[in-house]
Amino acid sequence: MTLLPEPSAVPVSSAAAPLDETIDAPGGLICPAQGIFDRAAVEAGLATAFDAAEDNRAKRQATVATLSDALKAGRATIATALATDPFNARAAIRSYAWLTDQVVMTVLMVARDHLHPLANPTEAERLALVAVGGYGRGEMAPQSDVDLLFLTPYKITPWAESLIESMLYMLWDLKLKVGHASRTVKDCIRMGAEDYTIRTALIEARFLDGDETLFATLRKRLWSELFKSTAGEFVEAKLEERAERHRKQGGQRYVVEPNVKEGKGGLRDLQSLYWIGKYVHGVREAKELVGRGVFTADEYATFRKAEDFLWAVRCQLHLVTGRAQDQLTFDLQVEVADRMGYRDHGGRRAVEHFMQEYFRQATRVGELTRIFLTSLEATHTKSAPMLQRLLRRKRKARPPYAIKHNRLTVEDEKGFLADKVNMLRIFEEALRTGTLLHPDAMRLLAANLDKIDDDLRSDKEAIRIFLDLMLKHGNPERALRRMNELGVLSAFIPEFEPIVAMMQFNMYHSYTVDEHIIQCISHLAQIEREELIEELPVASGILKRGINRKVLYVALLLHDIGKGRDEDHSVLGAQIARKVAPRLGLKQKECDTVEWLVRYHLLMSDTAQKRDIAEPRTVRDFAKAVKSVERLDLLTVLTVCDIRGVGPTTWNNWKAMLLRGLYKETRAALENGLEDLNRDTRENEARKALREALTDWDAKDLRTETQRHYGPYWQGLPAAAHVVFAHLLRGITDDEIRIDITPDADRDATRACFAMADHPGLFSRMTGALALVGANVVDARTYTSKDGYATAIFWIQDAEGHPYETARLPRLRQMIERTLKGEVVAREALKDRDKIKKRERAFRVPTSITFDNEGSEIYTIIEVDTRDRPGLLYDLTRTLAISNVYIASAVIATYGEQVVDTFYVKDMFGLKFHAESKRATLEKKLREAITAGAERATS
């Protein structure tokens, strides 16, 4: 058994060779070795410089100058070759490591032979230069650290100390990021036993130059005194480290801005498998794990492919940024995709095709990890998960299955494959027995996906099993996620395959499309398990009263299946649902309902978030579209799950309040008749509620308050706001500005109410003041009373989407007051603050402006769908004010970098914008304001 890698001064491989193979000649570099580092030229240059050097300082300077040029030229040569062949990462990272070797060994040669020569070195004056960590593996990205171990036999002598110091100064002057340690063999053993990071680095130790016998001693003693008897504890430590690393990186494989090195499914996960494989199995190369039964040959090929891809991405990241950047941020995703040759096609951007491949590779890394860890459990090197150990009991599996190491596997492969339905039945058996799938079973499924054909897709038992996986066992996400990862889901529903690992290039969605769907179904299951009653009372109540669960689950499974094409995904998804739903055995009425839900799955969300629910026609039109309480119930639950499935922070009380309000109003309209939805009814109820809330007011003041407002004021605001404004307006004078700013916990927002004498452009100035304090407006309404006072209410959130902390309210109030008094000019003050962050500039959001004269009885609705930025709302409202447009209310819906600002407006005569010419002129002005603001925000 080979204990540790053999030393090699030239850690390179051919482009086709695995990363962990070392050879003695640089023939496998990405380009000819001489083009990367011309040793003869460097030696000649140093010889000439040393002849003219007057002292050691001059020699050091000459060394740094010569090697700096060589290093720069070598890196440029590798980068040029990689640009031509961007996926040839193996050869590239070996080339960078080989170039670094040449530089480091040349520095050692200069320090040892020219700066600190020894005529007769003693036994103690021996030194081995050792590469450790990733550099020890011979794998380097353009900006990787250079980790070095200066190994000595005993305590460091003055000669060794001087030599090491001279080397480090030269390496630092070369701008290399050097991690270094000076230790004896004994130190390495002791510190490796105490620190797993040091121990891991020593696993990768590779001899560079110096005393090779000393390095051989270290290698031998590491195995016999440290590695040999500590495999179990090392494995547990690395897995604990891995779990903590994943937690810091977001805890999931589908983070929208993944870390290529440290994230889940990233390079570090593959390297962890390699470290453990070396430690436990004593292998030099990952391919040797095939012989040990850990991986099959196909799985090792997957290992290689994933590693190639991730290294290619990491190299490009370093080249783009010029630093050790491993976070694949939005702006860098676009640049890397372009460098790697991805192009726009099929209705999707190049970056989306690139990130889909990234997430597919990350998923494969996860599969390899599961296989590897199960193999360790089988040999008792790794403990089974605690929950499994606590709950372990003998579970009997039905033939042809068996429980092996507490995981479900196939005992009789021939019998299993004889019945194609078993390709689905095994997932049902896993849920029934409460076990995870064994890697052997996963391998068998992956190797026989061709058995999932049209006959199986139409098989009644197969359909029953598939639906039961969602409807019967209480945890459908587990089965669906595993089916998806193994390719079974897209084989059984081929229409699902295009959205597997499909990234949506925006800041709104936290998951890939397939994972989003599984998250949605997971939330539905949680509601059914009554885990979210307090948080989701309406959806929980709907499910408790009874609903067609089959329709709901199938609709959720298919609601985004049309994404990634040129067509509207809701329309295309409905067309797909028309084919898939009957195939899943649904009755005609159920199929029609599924198709309708998929076609209109955004209707309730859009209505609640982009329209004024207080407007009677909003509810009336929505009720007409839904038609029945049954569809309303289904759509409400689907909408809740869809929003919650977007990301962990997407759902909040504001959205919950909007949806509950729309559901309540629409259900009442459907049950009692649409004629109940009228302005007079709402107005009378609102006045009555105010009188009941102000019982301590005298009759005269109360009569003044109830008669000073027009109808829309009473219809458009909640009763609590009427009470606030009543107090603000009581006794107000024309020169006063009265403000009430209060956290509104029920809406996850801060409520800001203003009362003052009305004048043109006031609404715009208020939005400017709020923009200056970094407030995000989520809803706003403004009304002018009969006696000339403006009442405006804004619901705002901070940059994180939360209500403002109480401690921040005084500053918020102060800035607003100064702006409204004219002490601060919002337009000027916003110039430096209205900026889009660099990492967010890669998003494309086309601007769409629509005018709707039918959605409200008395207002024209202007909907502006465009790129969000801090000063956008101010620019839009200022443009409308300059154009003499009266804004009654503004509804703001933000979806990551995209925002939809909806304004309910009238012209200066109090009329709708009926004339096409007026609408065209106004649209032109709005577009000009958006364009000018966007240019300012990105300058």
Side-chain angles (χ1 to χ4, degrees), residues 42-60 62-63 105-119 159 162-163 166-167 170:
V42 169
E43 289 178 351
L46 289 177
T48 302
F50 287 177
D51 287 342
E54 296 179 356
D55 53 21
N56 281 352
R57 182 181 179 185
K59 291 180 180 178
R60 281 198 299 269
T63 302
M105 289 190 289
T106 300
V107 168
L108 173 61
M109 179 272 293
V110 171
R112 180 186 58 204
D113 300 346
H114 296 275
L115 304 182
H116 308 284
L118 276 178
W159 168 82
S162 298
L163 181 143
S166 292
M167 281 193 67
M170 285 188 280

Side-chain angles (χ1 to χ4, degrees), residues 422-578:
N422 283 328
M423 296 292 288
L424 293 176
R425 190 176 284 126
I426 189 171
F427 296 98
E428 183 178 49
E429 187 69 2
L431 291 179
R432 188 189 68 80
T433 56
T435 53
L436 301 174
L437 290 184
H438 192 280
D440 291 345
M442 288 190 249
R443 289 164 173 156
L444 187 63
L445 288 167
N448 290 278
L449 290 176
D450 59 316
K451 293 190 177 296
I452 304 177
D453 53 17
D454 287 341
D455 289 341
L456 182 63
R457 294 180 195 112
S458 60
D459 186 277
K460 290 184 178 180
E461 176 65 3
I463 293 167
R464 193 273 306 165
I465 291 171
F466 180 76
L467 292 176
D468 279 358
L469 289 174
M470 291 193 291
L471 297 167
K472 185 176 179 181
H473 301 281
N475 53 352
E477 69 276 11
R478 198 179 101 188
L480 288 174
R481 186 171 286 113
R482 187 53 46 84
M483 290 173 72
N484 189 36
E485 290 171 348
L486 294 174
V488 174
L489 181 55
S490 55
F492 189 68
I493 303 178
E495 294 84 355
F496 200 86
E497 200 280 332
I499 62 170
V500 173
M502 177 188 286
M503 182 217 190
Q504 302 168 82
F505 189 64
N506 57 54
M507 292 168 55
Y508 182 59
H509 291 89
S510 297
Y511 309 109
T512 53
V513 179
D514 55 336
E515 178 62 19
H516 162 69
I517 286 173
I518 293 171
Q519 289 284 340
C520 291
I521 289 174
S522 174
H523 284 289
L524 176 54
Q526 288 179 63
I527 299 171
E528 283 202 299
R529 295 195 296 265
E530 300 187 345
E531 296 172 4
L532 301 171
I533 293 176
E534 290 186 14
E535 192 174 350
L536 303 174
V538 172
S540 298
I542 290 171
L543 288 171
K544 193 165 186 176
R545 290 193 298 271
I547 200 169
N548 190 322
R549 297 173 64 241
K550 186 189 297 184
V551 164
L552 188 54
Y553 272 99
V554 172
L556 267 179
L557 181 69
L558 302 178
H559 79 279
D560 272 350
I561 202 165
K563 282 202 167 179
R565 332 283 172 85
D566 289 326
E567 303 96 320
D568 181 323
H569 83 277
S570 297
V571 175
L572 182 59
Q575 294 170 1
I576 294 172
R578 194 182 306 156

